[in-house]
């Protein structure tokens, strides 16, 4: 057992650090939940990808550097330590891309991945529906067979950044007569600007149009945009949620950098002893999350599957993120209420963490039943 | 980089677990608490035979250490089985005497006298850190050392046992006697760090066992016609207990690696003011101590609550773990002290 990086990994770290030092914008970009900020972040994705830093773990043919998970972690640490912008293409990179690697055809991968890496096409996740949140399998939007493809009908909601994004991926009911709600679902990709799509932005808690409702009326999807076998959408989707909660969506690098920033804020604000323990807990939590991730990465590198453990991850990072930002706001005092800066934006975002990617109540059920083996109860 | 126990380490943990499981530790704990150290000493010998104390003793004195990772692993098991006695203190005393001998001077004598016996399980040694603090299990110890300021002294027991919240922890006041080392600040700091790390590991073990026993109980205890473990309020409390423990675990092993000098992965403190290895290990240990101590204590409260009234009795074996969680959380560094160390940036 060791935590030693190889000389090669250290060299990679130095290369990433140097590139970031030369390229990270001096001033923070405007919030990516606004039209202006979205465009600025898209340009940043293009800059990252021009030197193949946008998706370092992907194979080179799709715009990556083909590095393993440890180097990916190193890159993320450097990325956030450098104060680089939040990633506007993360839905595609973290959710759709792993699905494509596991389930798509070569043609689909070649078509979709490079433009995702460059930020040219930004993806939205269209899973949730007004009547299907935690009980996602009860979704009702349909895809009906037509010549050469499918026609989408129905309504999706809470689709992050769909107000500005280009395309979406989602699950649709293709066999309404299937005996169980998890059956007869199909996973596919569609164009947010296709005829029949109406996108209605929804203001989140701070009023920014961070997500949207999608109304779908006979939206045509060609067969080539169906991922995997029709009818098998649920299993494909579930392999994606593991990614969402698991290793990739919230990398430790981000929390290590945030905890350091919090420590600096605490020092700048006079080291209030009443907040000291919470600052310490933020540092401890970031380290715990980092090492937990390295342990999982080690298992992954040894060929093991990471299963329901990803639920531990999800509950941890979402609650950690909130506690960290609450502490920062407390340190800011009255400035916290009026602040428009990074901490305020981060705080609003953190409040949603226990809700999306499967609510924390649902995750705790999974932990109790699948990791502890407790009996299933009424849902 | 491989942040996983290797096969040999995992097998060592399992062997220890099996041995302790077969040794009827609960009756050894009961006897120990009642002032009869006999069965505890027998257990001690078996633990030594399994190689545990040798991990804290250098090769020059018949040991194989210092091996912080293997020690941490072993102490998780000692915690899981609620092994009584100054197990942490003996290992820390071993590290202290070895360091003193290495630093030179007359201290080599104490190392030669005690280390081979510690490695072989023939000596139970207790250690205290302040002149006036309690010393654990001093009545059952063959030697007691106290670190006061930069000095280390032998100590003698003063007065009767002082009751602890955990009857298996027998506390004593001691009187400082002959000087063992004058200029021992560095060695004392390192020994204290090891004690904190191993207490964290022990806490983790205590928490894991409390959770295991509680999961078993709620799966079988029925109310309203169903196992209470099927109620969501019960499930979520246990999910939280697991969450705390599973995020404390990597901190414990990460801190052990820091102490062993085997971890170049940047930690939080690296972006801040501090980079020195000792200082980093000290912070990592403090972080592990907070996380494991708090997680075990939370697990204890969940275990107590979910067992209902039967959990609130001393008859149930569960009580040995329940009553250990809080004292271990505070021993060798209270959460407040450890958190202070985490934010202090070495200043
Ligand atoms: C900021 C944000 C971004 C999002 N982005 C996307 C996106 O890009 N794409 C997308 O498809 N979706 C997205 N979502 C939607 C998200 O996935 C859902 O909000 C989530 O699945 C919960 O569904 P719901 O909101 O309908 O709540 P409900 O399912 O109605 O739940 C309401 C409350 O009841 C609790 N509850 C429900 N069932 C149970 C149960 N069995 N046991 C205990 N408690 C229960 C929940 O935990 C929750 O606290 C986003 C949400 C947010 C807040």
């Amino acid at each position: 057992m060791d935590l030693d990086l190889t000389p090669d990994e250290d060299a990679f770290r130095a290369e990433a650090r140097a590139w970031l030092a030369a390229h990270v914008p001096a001033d923070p970009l405007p919030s990516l939940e606004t039209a202006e900020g979205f465009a600025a972040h898209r340009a940043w994705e293009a800059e990252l990808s021009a030197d193949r830093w946008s998706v370092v773990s992907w194979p080179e043919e799709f715009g990556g550097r083909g590095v393993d998970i440890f180097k990916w972690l190193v890159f993320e640490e450097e990325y956030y330590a450098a104060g680089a912008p939040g990633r506007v293409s993360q839905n595609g990179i973290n959710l759709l891309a792993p699905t494509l690697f596991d389930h798509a055809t070569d043609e689909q991968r070649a078509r979709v991945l490079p433009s995702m890496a460059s930020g040219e096409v930004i993806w939205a996740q269209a899973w949730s529906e007004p009547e299907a949140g935690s009980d996602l399998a009860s979704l009702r939007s349909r895809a009906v067979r037509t010549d050469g493809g499918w026609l989408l009908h129905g309504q999706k909601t809470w689709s992050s950044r769909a107000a500005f994004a280009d395309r979406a991926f989602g699950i649709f009911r293709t066999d309404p007569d299937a005996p169980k709600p998890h059956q007869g679902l199909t996973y596919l990709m569609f164009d947010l600007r296709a005829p029949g799509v109406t996108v209605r932005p929804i203001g989140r808690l701070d009023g920014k149009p961070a997500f949207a409702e999608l109304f779908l009326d006979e939206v045509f999807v060609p067969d080539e945009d169906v991922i995997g076998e029709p009818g098998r959408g649920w299993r494909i989707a579930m392999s994606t949620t593991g990614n969402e909660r698991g290793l990739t969506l919230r990398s430790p690098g981000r929390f290590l950098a945030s905890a350091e920033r919090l420590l600096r804020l605490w020092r700048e604000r006079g080291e209030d002893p009443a907040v000291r323990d919470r600052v310490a807990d933020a540092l401890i939590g970031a380290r715990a999350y980092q090492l937990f991730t390295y342990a999982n990465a080690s298992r992954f590198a040894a060929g093991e599957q990471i299963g329901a453990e990803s639920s531990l991850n999800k509950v941890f990072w979402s609650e950690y993120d909130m506690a960290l930002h609450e502490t920062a706001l407390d340190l800011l005092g009255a400035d916290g209420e009026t602040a428009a800066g990074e901490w305020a934006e981060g705080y609003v975002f953190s409040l949603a963490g226990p809700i999306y990617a499967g609510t924390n109540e649902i995750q705790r059920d999974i932990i109790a039943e699948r990791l502890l083996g407790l009996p299933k109860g009424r849902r | 980089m491989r942040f996983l126990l290797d096969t040999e380490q995992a097998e060592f943990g399992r062997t220890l677990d099996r041995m302790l499981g077969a040794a009827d530790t609960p009756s050894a704990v009961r006897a120990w608490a009642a002032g009869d150290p006999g069965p505890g000493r027998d257990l001690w010998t078996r633990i030594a035979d399994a190689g545990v104390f040798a991990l804290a003793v250098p090769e020059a004195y018949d040991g194989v250490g210092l091996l912080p990772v293997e020690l941490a692993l072993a102490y998780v098991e000692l915690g899981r089985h609620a092994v009584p006695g100054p197990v942490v203190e003996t290992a820390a005393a071993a590290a202290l005497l070895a360091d003193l001998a290495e630093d030179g001077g007359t201290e080599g004598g104490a190392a030669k006298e005690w280390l081979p016996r510690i490695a072989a399980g023939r000596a139970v040694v207790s250690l205290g850190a302040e002149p006036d603090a309690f010393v654990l299990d001093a009545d059952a110890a063959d030697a007691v050392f106290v670190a006061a300021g930069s000095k280390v002294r032998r100590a003698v027991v003063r007065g009767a046992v002082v009751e602890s919240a955990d009857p298996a922890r027998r506390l004593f006041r001691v009187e400082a006697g002959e000087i063992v080392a004058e200029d021992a600040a560095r060695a004392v700091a390192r020994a204290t760090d090891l004690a904190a790390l191993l207490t964290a590991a022990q806490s983790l073990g205590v928490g894991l066992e409390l959770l295991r026993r509680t999961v078993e109980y709620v799966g079988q205890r029925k109310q309203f016609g169903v196992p209470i473990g099927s109620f969501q309020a019960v499930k979520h409390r246990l999910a939280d207990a697991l969450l705390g423990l599973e995020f404390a675990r990597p901190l414990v092993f990460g801190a052990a690696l820091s102490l062993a000098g085997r971890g170049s992965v940047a930690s939080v403190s690296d972006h801040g003011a501090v980079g020195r290895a000792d200082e980093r290990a000290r912070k990592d240990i403090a972080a592990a101590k907070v996380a494991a101590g708090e997680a075990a204590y939370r697990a204890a409260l969940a275990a107590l609550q979910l067992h209902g009234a039967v959990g609130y009795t001393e008859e149930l074996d569960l009580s040995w773990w329940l009553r250990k969680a809080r004292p271990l959380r505070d021993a060798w560094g209270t959460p407040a002290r450890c958190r202070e160390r985490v934010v202090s940036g070495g200043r």
Side-chain angles (χ1 to χ4, degrees):
Chain A
M1 172 181 240
D2 71 86
L3 274 167
D4 289 325
L5 293 183
T6 62
D8 185 39
E9 285 161 349
D10 275 328
F12 177 77
R13 185 191 288 283
E15 190 188 350
R17 187 176 294 182
W19 188 90
L20 289 161
H23 289 82
V24 169
D27 295 318
L29 303 182
S31 164
L32 61 80
E33 312 293 2
T34 62
E36 180 205 7
F38 198 87
H41 279 79
R42 196 197 280 268
W44 167 248
E45 292 291 326
E47 191 173 343
L48 273 175
S49 105
D51 288 326
R52 290 191 296 117
W53 291 109
S54 70
V55 284
V56 292
S57 63
W58 291 11
E60 298 195 11
E61 54 176 317
F62 303 126
R65 290 172 176 250
V67 305
D68 68 8
I69 190 158
F70 297 116
K71 278 188 179 163
W72 174 76
L73 284 164
V74 164
F75 174 74
E76 290 281 305
E77 286 174 14
E78 290 303 319
Y79 187 88
Y80 287 102
R87 300 293 304 274
V88 72
S89 55
Q90 60 177 335
N91 269 339
I93 292 172
N94 293 325
L95 301 177
L96 178 57
T99 308
L100 293 174
F101 282 121
D102 288 351
H103 300 281
T105 63
D106 289 344
E107 182 279 323
Q108 287 173 322
R109 283 194 279 264
R111 179 158 52 90
V112 175
L113 292 171
S115 62
M116 183 191 292
S118 68
E120 190 187 323
V121 174
I122 290 190
W123 290 83
Q125 178 195 19
W127 288 18
S128 304
E129 297 183 5
E131 305 299 326
S134 299
D135 184 14
L136 182 63
S138 69
L139 64 89
R140 290 203 293 237
S141 290
R142 288 170 297 136
V144 181
R145 198 82 185 99
T146 185
D147 246 11
W150 301 79
L151 290 174
L152 308 184
H153 301 265
Q155 186 184 351
K156 294 284 178 179
T157 191
W158 314 127
S159 196
S160 286
R161 285 160 224 131
F164 313 116
D166 308 294
R167 304 200 75 203
F169 54 95
I171 16 181
F172 290 82
R173 198 161 291 288
T174 41
D175 179 6
D177 302 324
K180 295 212 172 106
H182 303 76
Q183 296 167 356
L185 298 169
T186 297
Y187 197 127
L188 48 78
M189 305 177 276
F190 60 98
D191 205 316
L192 283 169
R193 307 209 184 88
V197 180
T198 308
V199 179
R200 188 183 76 84
I202 306 173
R204 68 172 183 187
L205 213 51
D206 65 355
K208 293 188 180 118
F211 39 31
E213 247 174 332
L214 312 175
F215 299 92
L216 306 167
D217 181 18
E218 295 214 345
V219 179
F220 178 72
V221 176
D223 280 330
E224 62 187 37
D225 277 346
V226 173
I227 303 172
E229 230 178 282
R232 308 266 297 172
W234 183 257
R235 295 192 63 171
I236 299 173
M238 287 308 108
S239 75
T240 320
T241 56
N243 286 299
E244 185 168 20
R245 296 170 204 142
L247 292 174
T248 51
L249 184 62
R250 292 288 172 265
S251 73
R254 172 186 176 131
F255 294 133
L256 289 169
S258 298
E260 279 299 325
R261 271 202 309 135
L262 183 70
L263 179 63
R264 283 200 297 277
L265 180 68
W266 180 69
R267 288 190 177 150
E268 281 158 24
R269 297 260 161 170
E271 307 201 345
D272 181 352
V275 190
R276 189 200 66 187
D277 285 0
R278 291 160 65 198
V279 174
D281 285 344
L283 291 161
I284 295 169
R287 178 72 169 159
Y289 187 63
Q290 178 193 35
L291 293 179
F292 186 84
T293 308
Y294 273 106
N296 275 336
S298 299
R299 285 179 51 195
F300 185 76
E304 279 183 54
Q305 295 277 329
I306 312 297
E309 290 88 348
S310 64
S311 294
L312 288 172
N313 216 57
K314 198 269 157 162
V315 174
F316 187 89
W317 65 248
S318 57
E319 298 196 340
Y320 174 84
D321 202 27
M322 263 185 73
L324 177 110
H325 283 91
E326 284 169 339
T327 307
L329 290 200
D330 284 352
L331 282 167
L332 290 168
D335 296 347
E337 185 180 341
T338 59
E342 265 179 292
W343 286 119
E345 174 97 17
Y347 171 68
V348 172
F349 187 58
S350 77
L351 292 178
I355 301 173
Y356 65 82
T359 71
N360 285 9
E361 285 75 22
I362 299 295
Q363 301 313 313
R364 285 185 164 92
D365 281 352
I366 295 173
I367 292 166
E369 288 168 14
R370 298 207 208 135
L371 296 179
L372 292 176
L374 292 176
K376 266 187 176 300
R378 280 193 54 205
R379 273 279 173 280
Chain B
M1 145 77 65
R2 191 174 184 280
F3 191 42
L4 283 181
L5 297 175
D6 60 35
T7 8
E8 226 172 288
Q9 289 166 330
E11 185 48 37
F12 172 56
R14 277 194 296 270
T15 306
L16 207 50
D17 178 33
R18 273 194 301 271
M19 185 276 279
L20 293 168
D24 189 17
T25 33
S27 44
V29 189
R30 271 176 209 281
W32 190 274
D36 167 14
R41 287 292 295 236
D42 290 347
L43 192 57
W44 193 278
T45 316
R46 301 173 73 163
I47 292 167
D49 288 346
V52 172
F53 297 115
L55 298 167
V57 173
E59 283 178 45
Y61 302 94
D62 303 345
V64 296
L66 180 76
L67 296 177
V69 173
E70 283 74 9
L71 274 170
L73 179 64
Y75 278 67
V76 171
E77 296 305 326
L78 299 186
R80 283 185 48 205
H81 292 276
V83 169
V87 281
V88 164
E89 289 69 18
T90 292
L96 175 67
L97 297 180
D99 263 5
L100 289 176
E102 193 176 294
D103 289 353
T106 58
E107 297 85 15
K112 276 202 205 81
E113 182 181 357
W114 291 103
L115 292 179
R117 293 172 63 190
I118 290 175
R122 282 182 287 110
V124 171
V125 177
S126 196
L127 178 71
E130 298 291 331
D132 278 335
F134 293 118
V135 173
L136 184 63
D137 300 317
D139 62 338
D142 301 300
V144 177
F145 295 93
V146 285
S150 62
K151 293 187 181 47
V152 172
R153 296 168 179 270
R154 280 292 292 270
V156 287
V157 176
R158 168 152 56 84
V161 63
V162 181
E163 248 177 69
S164 156
D166 171 9
R169 289 171 59 86
R170 299 172 58 78
L171 305 178
F172 292 87
R173 299 243 180 239
V174 297
E175 206 162 290
E178 105 197 51
I179 290 191
V180 177
E182 290 278 1
D183 196 12
R186 190 190 80 101
V188 167
R190 284 167 50 95
T192 318
D193 288 344
L194 184 66
L197 173 69
L198 299 186
T199 307
Q202 217 185 353
S203 287
L204 178 60
V206 164
L208 289 169
E209 181 63 11
L210 283 162
L211 178 58
R212 189 191 70 75
R213 286 175 180 250
T214 309
V215 165
E216 197 174 274
Y217 182 74
V218 302
Q220 143 255 289
R221 168 76 174 168
K222 284 190 179 166
Q223 289 293 283
F224 305 100
V226 292
I228 56 174
S230 64
F231 298 129
Q232 208 171 40
V234 170
K235 279 184 184 163
H236 287 194
R237 188 127 190 211
L238 292 173
D240 282 337
L242 182 68
L243 201 64
L245 294 164
E246 287 306 329
F247 280 87
R249 188 198 299 271
L251 284 173
V252 169
F253 286 101
L257 284 171
S258 284
L259 197 65
R262 306 201 58 192
S264 63
V265 162
S267 73
V268 181
S269 55
D270 284 4
H271 297 292
V274 180
R276 282 184 303 123
D278 267 7
E279 202 52 57
R280 180 158 140 191
R282 187 152 299 157
K283 276 184 156 195
D284 283 350
I285 289 169
K289 181 79 186 28
V290 172
E294 299 277 27
Y297 181 54
R298 295 287 139 206
L301 294 181
L304 174 60
Q305 180 68 20
L306 300 181
H307 275 80
V310 72
Y312 196 70
T313 62
E314 67 172 346
E315 276 128 56
L316 199 68
D317 278 346
L318 185 79
S319 73
W320 294 113
W321 285 267
L322 281 179
R323 290 182 290 187
K324 223 172 257 318
R326 180 87 189 185
L328 287 182
R329 167 182 172 274
D330 297 335
W332 295 105
T334 61
R337 178 76 195 84
C338 290
R339 287 186 169 108
E340 187 187 316
R341 182 161 278 174
V342 169
V343 295
S344 71
R347 292 170 308 166

